[in-house]
Amino acid sequence: MSKRKYSKEFKLKVLKEHEDDSSFYSLKMKYDITSGTVKRWNAACKAHGETALDSHSSNRCRYTAAFKQEVVRDYLTG
């Protein structure tokens, strides 16, 4: 199952509709997204503001090949 990427603008649009009395279920049906996704966006936005809706890369931590080899060597030697 692949994850869809949504723009910050789209997320804000959906949340604005929710604020204007659209239910999570109606938004789910209209945009073909799960209610849980919209609920997470809503909770994140309330807790951390609009910046919580920015796209984030899941590959933030990148390690060099040399570092990875060092970690493996350390692991193997105890």
Side-chain angles (χ1 to χ4, degrees):
M1 181 179 192
S2 65
K3 289 179 122 182
R4 288 194 250 172
K5 303 270 183 181
Y6 299 101
S7 69
K8 181 178 181 178
E9 292 75 24
F10 175 76
K11 294 173 186 178
L12 289 171
K13 174 184 171 185
V14 172
L15 292 177
K16 174 72 170 120
E17 287 186 38
H18 176 65
E19 287 177 9
D20 294 338
D21 292 329
S22 290
S23 68
F24 289 121
Y25 180 78
S26 66
L27 294 169
K28 168 192 170 181
M29 299 306 290
K30 182 176 181 179
Y31 294 110
D32 189 32
I33 53 180
T34 66
S35 299
T37 298
V38 181
K39 289 177 183 178
R40 275 194 307 279
W41 294 344
N42 189 46
C45 194
K46 285 184 177 181
H48 306 288
E50 289 183 13
T51 58
L53 302 176
D54 292 336
S55 296
H56 300 285
S57 172
S58 61
N59 295 328
R60 285 188 194 179
C61 296
R62 297 205 176 178
Y63 301 106
T64 64
F67 176 76
K68 292 176 188 178
Q69 290 173 345
E70 181 182 334
V71 169
V72 171
R73 273 193 303 277
D74 287 346
Y75 175 79
L76 293 174
T77 59

